[in-house]
Amino acid sequence: MIRSQAVSLAALLLLGGPVYAGSFEAYVATTAGKPVEDSVVVVEPVVKAVARHHSTATIEQRDRELVPYVTIVQTGAAIDFPNRDPFKHHLYSFSPAKRFEIKLYAGKPAQPVVFDKPGEVALGCNIHDWMEAYVLVVDSPYFAKTDGNGRAFITNIPPGHYRLRLWHPRQNSEPPLREIEIGAAPTQLNLAMDIAPRIAKQKPPVEADHY
Ligand SMILES: [Cu+2]
């Protein structure tokens, strides 16, 4: 019986049939019960032998803002930083996980920036003080960001034992890692984070002679 199931699973895999993969859904709220947007939810393999996606991501500069506010990539991914504004920006990061600078530029830089170390990266613009965005570089292909309702959904996770990590750029403290089991059925958890409110920085109006 066990052997015939194993054989049929192998046959399914060979035929490109359905692969039994689990999913994880998180609902993240503050300790006061308010949904948290832009929380990073990462399901990390306990054994770090997961194929790298080397995916790409894009963080735009538009209307003198960095968009999106939070980006998650797997270690080794390349990020493009196109400037969609009709004037120059000067992008920089002083974060140990990735220090770089793209000096005063317009349009799309020829080379993307490769994020080769896991960690947090804070981005800013030398010209426009209020511009900010964050990149979390993680050693897992299984991650998602919460939406405005505090929900994040990760699919195609092979069943097994994982560590769950939560991160937010304005967290007062990072919640401790916890162990989770991913099975064939969806896993759902309600999670709490202690987040500082986002304080809007002053953005002066665009003037003809001054951006
Ligand atoms: Cu700028």
Side-chain angles (χ1 to χ4, degrees), residues 4-16:
S4 73
Q5 278 178 351
V7 168
S8 58
L9 178 60
L12 272 174
L13 290 171
L14 281 173
L15 293 170

Side-chain angles (χ1 to χ4, degrees), residues 59-64 80-90 104-109 131:
I59 300 175
E60 295 181 333
Q61 288 139 90
R62 197 198 308 144
D63 299 331
R64 298 177 301 158
D80 278 314
F81 292 97
N83 175 3
R84 312 283 191 212
D85 282 328
F87 41 81
K88 290 177 178 173
H89 290 291
H90 185 142
L104 276 174
Y105 72 103
K108 188 179 165 184
M131 289 174 67

Side-chain angles (χ1 to χ4, degrees), residues 111-123:
Q111 297 292 328
V113 178
V114 174
F115 289 71
D116 44 12
K117 266 191 277 184
E120 314 170 10
V121 180
L123 305 171

Side-chain angles (χ1 to χ4, degrees), residues 14-210:
L14 281 173
L15 293 170
V19 174
Y20 300 104
S23 65
F24 179 72
E25 186 175 6
Y27 170 66
V28 183
T30 62
T31 39
K34 240 184 106 194
V36 176
E37 186 174 13
D38 289 319
S39 275
V40 173
V41 180
V42 189
V43 172
E44 295 179 339
V46 174
V47 180
K48 293 193 176 177
V50 175
R52 289 182 172 179
H53 280 194
H54 285 304
S55 54
T56 57
T58 299
I59 300 175
E60 295 181 333
Q61 288 139 90
R62 197 198 308 144
D63 299 331
R64 298 177 301 158
E65 300 286 355
L66 284 158
V67 184
Y69 176 57
V70 171
T71 298
I72 317 159
V73 292
Q74 197 174 355
T75 309
I79 302 184
D80 278 314
F81 292 97
N83 175 3
R84 312 283 191 212
D85 282 328
F87 41 81
K88 290 177 178 173
H89 290 291
H90 185 142
L91 196 67
Y92 69 85
S93 154
F94 295 129
S95 303
K98 188 71 196 179
R99 279 175 208 274
F100 72 98
E101 192 175 18
I102 310 177
K103 292 181 180 169
L104 276 174
Y105 72 103
K108 188 179 165 184
Q111 297 292 328
V113 178
V114 174
F115 289 71
D116 44 12
K117 266 191 277 184
E120 314 170 10
V121 180
L123 305 171
C125 172
N126 242 345
I127 318 292
H128 309 102
D129 238 12
W130 62 85
M131 289 174 67
E132 59 171 345
Y134 298 87
V135 179
L136 190 69
V137 186
V138 299
D139 277 333
S140 170
Y142 315 117
F143 52 73
K145 188 170 72 170
T146 54
D147 61 16
N149 298 315
R151 300 204 175 268
F153 194 58
I154 308 169
T155 55
N156 282 321
I157 312 172
H161 195 62
Y162 292 87
R163 269 188 305 262
L164 177 65
R165 182 176 177 201
L166 269 182
W167 182 88
H168 193 284
R170 300 192 313 278
Q171 65 194 9
N172 288 320
S173 63
E174 183 162 335
L177 293 173
R178 58 191 280 181
E179 308 213 336
I180 57 164
E181 213 59 52
I182 298 293
T187 305
Q188 285 174 311
L189 278 180
N190 290 345
L191 305 160
M193 287 191 90
D194 184 13
I195 306 287
R198 187 170 185 181
I199 297 159
K201 293 183 188 169
Q202 209 207 337
K203 182 176 168 180
V206 175
E207 288 167 30
D209 60 343
H210 181 77

